[in-house]
Amino acid sequence: MGCIESSTNTDEKRTNRKIENNLKKIEIQNDSLIRILLLGPGESGKSTIFKQLKLIQDGEFQKNTLQSTMPIIRQNIINQMKVLIQQANKLLIPIQQQKAVELINKLSYLDEWDEAIIEALTVLWNDPGIQKTLTLKDLKFHIFDSVEYFFNNLKRISSQNYNPTNEDILHCRVRTVGINQAEFNIKKTSFILTDVGGQRNERKKWIHCFENVTSVLFCSSLSGYCQTLIEDNSVNRMKEAINLFTEIYQSPWFQKSSIMLFLNKKDIFEKKIKEIDLSTCFRDYSGGKNYEKAIEFIQDKFLKNCDMDSESARQVYPFVTCAVDTNNVQNVIESALDSIMRRRLKNFGMF
């Protein structure tokens, strides 16, 4: 009798385990769609990451995206030249091409480009005063990171048969207003990515996106260590990003969410650190103009308030990225998704 009861108990346990495993699989399938919230301060590269994922998934941008981006790119060029002119005047740097200055200052984004406009932009970009002003960006004023890219490609962009390339679209700057959401499928992993504006006045909208978040993708610009906020030039961008990241990590909304930390714009940072020491932002930094030491220091600053040693702590996955580099973003995203899936399977007792 005892042997029969033991055999029966064993069969019941085996059946219960199968039922439990099936329930876990069903639970995973029912919640298989990963929800990623893309957060970070303004000018951190969040929207470029969003565009990169569309490019990685689809292989190319759709025709309507290409067509709608062309006037925005030209508007970016006009606006940034106006910024350079304005800052040159403010800094008392003389500009030789005054006729070109008058023409550009009169332009609006609705004006069609003609030979006179193209010539004015070309001579101004080569003007010693404009080039000298450009060297003072970051320390004295703000300008888009893509300004040099677009002006170096001005001849191609100003041609009559111009069609934006993938790289042009990735460099194009449009401020994110409100909430953008899209579903992606990369390496057979489906996820919804929600992107919201990063400027301070946009952050009040974030709370509407906080529920049921699988993971937070927090993006910060490495090159922001010597820049101030557009909305408040008394606040350092990187310090603002660190404070914001700490708030996100400690938020009760994300107690069950993993966090991906994208330290972005590594290409710009690698050039900038050779000229501007990180100690201009952090007095306790002593690594000199060394790229690797500076990256390690910055990462430690972001993670210092994260209880990484605790078993119950939310996992933080740091990555150093370049949002305009498609291969880099694809490799990082695939690695991040793999980490998320492993964590989810572990939580379900399946890994």
Side-chain angles (χ1 to χ4, degrees):
M1 292 291 291
C3 291
I4 294 174
E5 288 177 358
S6 176
S7 175
T8 301
N9 288 338
T10 300
D11 289 341
E12 287 179 355
K13 289 179 180 178
R14 185 180 297 112
T15 300
N16 287 337
R17 281 198 299 271
K18 286 183 179 180
I19 293 172
E20 288 175 0
N21 286 335
N22 286 334
L23 288 173
K24 287 177 181 177
K25 289 178 180 178
I26 292 171
E27 189 175 358
I28 292 173
Q29 290 171 354
N30 289 340
D31 194 30
S32 61
L33 192 60
I34 297 171
R35 293 171 175 82
I36 300 176
L37 181 58
L38 184 54
L39 298 179
E43 301 291 315
S44 61
K46 296 187 296 84
S47 297
T48 307
I49 296 289
F50 195 89
K51 288 187 286 187
Q52 278 283 19
L53 291 176
K54 286 183 175 291
L55 181 60
I56 292 168
Q57 176 176 255
D58 301 334
E60 60 182 1
F61 289 111
Q62 297 179 353
K63 287 185 177 180
N64 61 341
T65 301
L66 295 172
Q67 292 171 352
S68 63
T69 304
M70 183 176 72
I72 298 174
I73 289 173
R74 291 184 171 177
Q75 182 183 345
N76 279 180
I77 291 172
I78 293 294
N79 288 345
Q80 295 313 291
M81 180 53 75
K82 286 183 177 182
V83 170
L84 288 169
I85 292 170
Q86 181 184 35
Q87 292 301 321
N89 292 334
K90 185 177 179 180
L91 296 168
L92 303 179
I93 298 173
I95 300 174
Q96 296 176 6
Q97 305 293 334
Q98 284 301 311
K99 288 185 177 181
V101 168
E102 293 175 8
L103 175 58
I104 297 302
N105 279 336
K106 292 178 181 178
L107 290 179
S108 74
Y109 71 95
L110 294 173
D111 291 322
E112 292 289 334
W113 282 22
D114 56 22
E115 290 298 326
I117 293 173
I118 297 168
E119 176 65 19
L121 289 169
T122 302
V123 297
L124 280 173
W125 180 246
N126 293 312
D127 189 286
I130 291 296
Q131 287 298 312
K132 183 178 180 180
T133 303
L134 189 65
T135 64
L136 299 175
K137 66 183 176 66
D138 298 333
L139 294 176
K140 296 292 185 180
F141 63 96
H142 169 73
I143 198 167
F144 290 167
D145 293 323
S146 58
V147 61
E148 291 178 78
Y149 170 84
F150 282 127
F151 274 101
N152 289 335
N153 287 277
L154 184 60
K155 184 177 180 180
R156 175 176 59 84
I157 293 170
S158 60
S159 64
Q160 290 185 349
N161 58 350
Y162 167 64
N163 285 308
T165 65
N166 291 339
E167 193 172 2
D168 292 346
I169 293 175
L170 292 172
H171 279 87
C172 182
R173 179 70 181 96
V174 180
R175 178 182 171 184
T176 303
V177 178
I179 299 170
N180 295 323
Q181 190 174 80
E183 184 172 342
F184 299 93
N185 191 297
I186 296 176
K187 287 194 71 176
K188 298 180 180 180
T189 301
S190 296
F191 62 96
I192 289 178
L193 183 68
T194 303
D195 176 28
V196 293
Q199 273 78 21
R200 284 179 171 179
N201 62 337
E202 291 289 327
R203 293 177 197 169
K204 59 187 177 182
K205 303 173 185 176
W206 289 8
I207 196 169
H208 301 294
C209 311
F210 282 3
E211 291 186 341
N212 302 317
V213 172
T214 307
S215 183
V216 173
L217 196 168
F218 188 92
C219 195
S220 175
S221 170
L222 284 166
S223 63
Y225 72 96
C226 59
Q227 297 175 316
T228 59
L229 299 181
I230 296 176
E231 58 268 45
D232 186 350
N233 61 13
S234 68
V235 179
N236 178 274
R237 284 194 189 186
M238 182 163 287
K239 290 181 178 180
E240 170 91 347
I242 291 172
N243 291 336
L244 187 58
F245 177 77
T246 300
E247 289 180 22
I248 295 299
Y249 181 83
Q250 296 176 347
S251 170
W253 288 96
F254 306 121
Q255 292 297 315
K256 297 181 180 179
S257 305
S258 61
I259 298 179
M260 295 177 282
L261 172 61
F262 278 25
L263 298 176
N264 192 36
K265 302 188 181 182
K266 66 176 184 178
D267 54 329
I268 300 172
F269 178 75
E270 189 171 11
K271 296 176 182 177
K272 188 177 289 187
I273 195 64
K274 296 175 183 178
E275 303 294 332
I276 306 173
D277 198 292
L278 189 59
S279 60
T280 58
C281 178
F282 303 105
R283 292 183 179 180
D284 55 334
Y285 174 73
S286 58
K289 297 178 180 180
N290 182 283
Y291 173 80
E292 287 77 15
K293 290 181 179 179
I295 290 288
E296 183 179 359
F297 182 90
I298 291 171
Q299 182 171 301
D300 288 344
K301 282 289 186 182
F302 272 91
L303 300 180
K304 69 177 181 179
N305 293 317
C306 300
D307 188 15
M308 302 293 286
D309 296 328
S310 171
E311 290 185 3
S312 60
R314 280 146 292 163
Q315 190 62 47
V316 178
Y317 305 99
F319 299 93
V320 179
T321 61
C322 174
V324 294
D325 183 337
T326 303
N327 289 332
N328 175 253
V329 172
Q330 182 166 3
N331 291 334
V332 168
I333 287 293
E334 289 177 359
S335 177
L337 290 174
D338 183 63
S339 298
I340 291 173
M341 290 305 299
R342 285 173 178 270
R343 181 177 181 273
R344 285 162 65 82
L345 290 172
K346 184 177 180 180
N347 290 342
F348 281 113
M350 303 293 290
F351 182 78

